[in-house]
Amino acid sequence: MGIRSHLAGIPTDLLIGGAWRPGLTGARLDVTDPSTGAKIADVADASIEDALAAVAAAHDAGPEWAATPPRRRSEILRRCFELMLERKDFLAEIISLENGKALPDAHGEVAYAAEFFRWFSEEAVRLTGDYATAPSGANRIIVQHQPIGVCVLVTPWNFPAAMATRKIAPALAAGCTCVLKPATETPLTAFALAAIFAEAGVPDGVINVLTTGRSGPLVSAMLHDPRVRKLSFTGSTEVGRRLLHEAADTVISCSMELGGNAPFIVFDDADLDKAIDGAMVAKMRNGGEACTAANRFLVQEGIQHAFAARLSERMSALAVGPGYAVGTECGPVINGGALRRIDGLVRDAVARGAILLTGGAPDDRDGFYYPPTVLSGVPDDALISTEEIFGPVAAIASFRTEDEAIARANGTEYGLISYVFTADLARGMRVSEKLDSGMIGLNRGVVSDPAAPFGGTKQSGLGREGGHHGILEFSEVKYIGVTW
Ligand code: NAD
């Protein structure tokens, strides 16, 4: 098959200090194609010694990279952006092959991922500080942003390119060096990107990449190395909590992008066509495997039946198939465990009284396919209302009043994103201000934008990625009190 021919050109060893190394133990990890369930490659399985070698390489490369003029760093980042776009078809196909997402989603991810390099190439030369006279008049206050130091970047499988570039680009823009540990399920995209970044002129040791089957001990060892000063993690709240404990031992700065349970509120004055379009993108971008995916549809009772019927019609019409097949709109989920988990959530909801409108049982062909599914009348105590679905299942419940919608939307430990659809802008703004989440999509089903601060409240995380805030996460504030 044509797409598999790309595999020959992708490094599969560890990138440490600019050299591709097999890893000290020689162990390998299998990479699986979720569209077939078959092995497609194997990659090096890093040991703790390899990880500490990567930290040493990042540490050694640090002073020179930090001293590289911002304009030069900016130009290298810009070149990363350009090269990613030149290789966009190759990158999209690799993402689709190892992650399973439909090719249009993979192309969307490559464009989004590359944009972080363009944005942070522009931010690299705009990292300004402060200058003030102390209130006493006795001295001056100078504040500068310095590179925080060696960064450990840990990323999930659902956006294998974008979650890496959302961290690497601001880290490099701020003058930091890094060790990237991509998800075990999707290492090939990370290696393909690393090769491109080297070609763009990123010096040896500035970006190091490790794949491992023992993420826990390996990341822990790096976090306990005093040369590491930053952890930037994207993944589940469960693992994030554990890493915050680990990072406490060495008081490492942490940026955490964790799980979500996004409410999608539709008021009965909303334009239904726009709300359905918004619902489709908020639910089905990436086949539902997104932290921003609409998890709970809360629809005002006057339009609940019309909304559910229209959404079911659109969901059941989606073409399900291998991510890289022409015409596929919804690819497989990542693995068998995800398939069983999603099926369990749907079964639990139905057992508690939810009505199944379409879909509802895993496909028995090879690969990991769950059909686009819609449930209505989902009770608040169903597991699907409280847990992240992370799959192509829309769970609909109804509400009566604005206050009820806000209270139910906020009734979760998560606070990543909320969506609101209404024709009344005053109501939209009022509700947006009361929703406890880091991001709001007001009459929009997608908000991700490298120029905007992405992140959550409550147990959805700490810190922001993208926008101007993104570079500050990789900077340390230095105050110099001066008398002359
Ligand atoms: P995960 O937490 O299982 O894994 C994330 C990363 O952590 C992977 O690289 C994994 O190998 C590593 N890891 C796993 N256990 C570890 C441990 N004990 N110590 C150190 N590292 C460990 O998450 P996932 O299944 O890869 O991704 C899905 C989750 O990511 C969802 O909860 C989703 O909401 C979240 N996510 C959040 C955002 C965001 O920006 N907030 C974006 C994408 C995904």
Side-chain angles (χ1 to χ4, degrees), residues 155-157 166 181 183 215 233-236 257-259 291 388 454:
T155 52
W157 50 262
R166 201 164 76 173
K181 197 218 76 65
S215 301
F233 172 80
T234 298
S236 61
E257 296 288 347
L258 309 178
C291 53
E388 231 182 346
F454 187 108

Side-chain angles (χ1 to χ4, degrees), residues 107-473:
H107 276 283
E109 177 177 353
V110 175
Y112 176 54
E115 196 60 36
F116 284 103
F117 278 101
R118 177 156 64 173
W119 173 259
F120 284 108
S121 75
E122 293 156 354
E123 286 294 289
V125 289
R126 314 236 186 286
L127 193 54
T128 56
D130 295 306
Y131 177 89
T133 301
S136 66
N139 61 288
R140 302 292 188 274
I141 295 170
I142 299 174
V143 180
Q144 36 174 257
H145 295 285
Q146 295 191 323
I148 197 165
V150 174
C151 307
V152 169
L153 314 177
V154 181
T155 52
W157 50 262
N158 66 333
F159 288 96
M163 297 304 94
T165 62
R166 201 164 76 173
K167 300 182 188 307
I168 294 171
L172 269 54
C176 298
T177 57
C178 63
V179 180
L180 171 69
K181 197 218 76 65
T184 315
E185 294 84 347
T186 53
L188 300 173
T189 305
F191 285 139
L193 286 173
I196 289 175
F197 301 155
E199 196 183 327
V202 174
D204 290 352
V206 171
I207 302 173
N208 303 276
V209 185
L210 300 170
T211 44
T212 180
R214 287 154 296 165
S215 301
L218 193 114
V219 173
S220 173
M222 290 196 282
L223 296 182
H224 286 90
D225 185 314
R227 292 171 293 190
V228 170
R229 294 312 312 145
K230 176 81 195 181
L231 168 65
S232 180
F233 172 80
T234 298
S236 61
T237 294
E238 183 192 348
V239 173
R241 272 190 210 109
R242 227 177 292 162
L243 293 181
L244 283 169
H245 281 283
E246 298 267 357
D249 290 340
T250 36
V251 193
I252 285 177
S253 163
C254 293
S255 298
M256 311 300 280
E257 296 288 347
L258 309 178
N261 180 356
F264 188 106
I265 303 171
V266 189
F267 287 99
D268 57 13
D269 63 358
D271 178 324
L272 201 52
D273 289 335
K274 289 193 177 134
I276 293 290
D277 286 346
M280 287 302 292
V281 60
K283 180 73 254 179
M284 292 305 294
R285 189 168 74 109
N286 234 30
E289 294 177 320
C291 53
T292 51
N295 214 63
R296 294 171 292 151
F297 286 93
L298 298 172
V299 183
Q300 203 156 18
E301 57 184 3
I303 56 163
Q304 59 170 315
H305 298 302
F307 181 89
R310 296 271 301 272
L311 190 62
S312 300
E313 197 182 314
R314 290 279 295 272
M315 291 282 277
S316 57
L318 290 174
V320 180
Y324 38 76
V326 175
T328 292
E329 294 167 296
C330 177
V333 299
I334 189 72
N335 54 32
L339 198 63
R340 288 187 289 280
R341 191 183 49 74
I342 294 165
D343 192 41
L345 290 177
V346 171
R347 284 170 187 272
D348 170 78
V350 170
R352 290 175 199 257
I355 299 159
L356 184 64
L357 298 178
T358 187
D363 218 312
D364 57 8
R365 63 180 132 167
D366 287 344
F368 311 114
Y369 296 92
Y370 202 87
T373 294
V374 179
L375 297 161
S376 69
V378 175
D380 283 356
D381 66 350
L383 295 174
I384 208 166
S385 302
T386 55
E387 293 182 13
E388 231 182 346
I389 303 170
F390 237 64
V393 181
I396 306 174
S398 65
F399 69 91
R400 287 194 181 151
T401 66
E402 185 177 309
D403 285 347
E404 180 196 343
I406 294 166
R408 284 172 60 190
N410 287 341
T412 163
E413 68 192 23
Y414 296 107
L416 189 61
I417 183 166
S418 309
Y419 301 91
V420 182
F421 276 74
T422 174
D424 177 349
L425 191 57
R427 167 150 74 181
M429 287 305 299
R430 184 170 67 234
V431 172
S432 295
E433 290 187 355
K434 289 182 181 163
L435 288 170
D436 190 353
S437 57
M439 299 177 287
I440 309 282
L442 178 50
N443 293 327
R444 286 188 62 77
V446 61
V447 301
S448 301
D449 185 334
F454 187 108
T457 63
K458 298 193 275 184
Q459 296 191 39
S460 285
L462 300 169
R464 296 292 181 269
E465 290 189 318
H468 181 59
H469 300 77
I471 194 168
L472 297 178
E473 301 274 330

